[in-house]
């Protein structure tokens, strides 16, 4: 029933541990952009209304790590990207 407030000053992945249950943890991902998405159970995602341009797409997974890929968005064309994360 407790509520705590925390303001994150920088982007990053922050792990919150449970002091009562060692197997419990939560992850907070802070990004410095309004363009982000959370994938579904199959790993699919959409980022709507992204202006045309060249972008770096960063992905993160609790067990598979992180990866950055370059993505070019063209006006009026859908962009598709496939990213494979290797098991650690």
């Amino acid at each position: 029933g407790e509520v705590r407030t925390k303001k994150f000053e920088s982007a990053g992945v922050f792990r919150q541990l449970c002091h009562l249950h060692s197997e419990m943890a939560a992850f907070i991902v802070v990004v410095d952009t309004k363009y982000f998405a959370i994938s579904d159970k199959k790993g699919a995602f959409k980022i709507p209304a992204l202006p045309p341009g060249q972008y770096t797409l960063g992905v993160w997974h609790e067990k598979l790590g992180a990866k950055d890929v370059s993505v070019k968005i063209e006006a009026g064309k859908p962009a598709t990207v496939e990213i494979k994360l290797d098991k650690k």
Side-chain angles (χ1 to χ4, degrees), residues 15-62:
R15 185 175 181 177
Q16 178 64 49
L17 301 174
C18 177
H19 295 292
L20 298 175
H21 308 96
S22 60
E23 71 280 2
M24 292 178 66
F27 293 90
I28 302 164
V29 180
V30 179
V31 295
D32 58 358
T33 180
K34 64 181 180 179
Y35 301 110
F36 67 92
I38 298 172
S39 64
D40 63 19
K41 290 181 180 183
K42 294 182 180 180
F45 65 93
K46 291 182 181 182
I47 302 175
L50 192 61
Q54 191 73 32
Y55 295 91
T56 299
L57 173 65
V59 297
W60 177 86
H61 185 276
E62 171 188 356

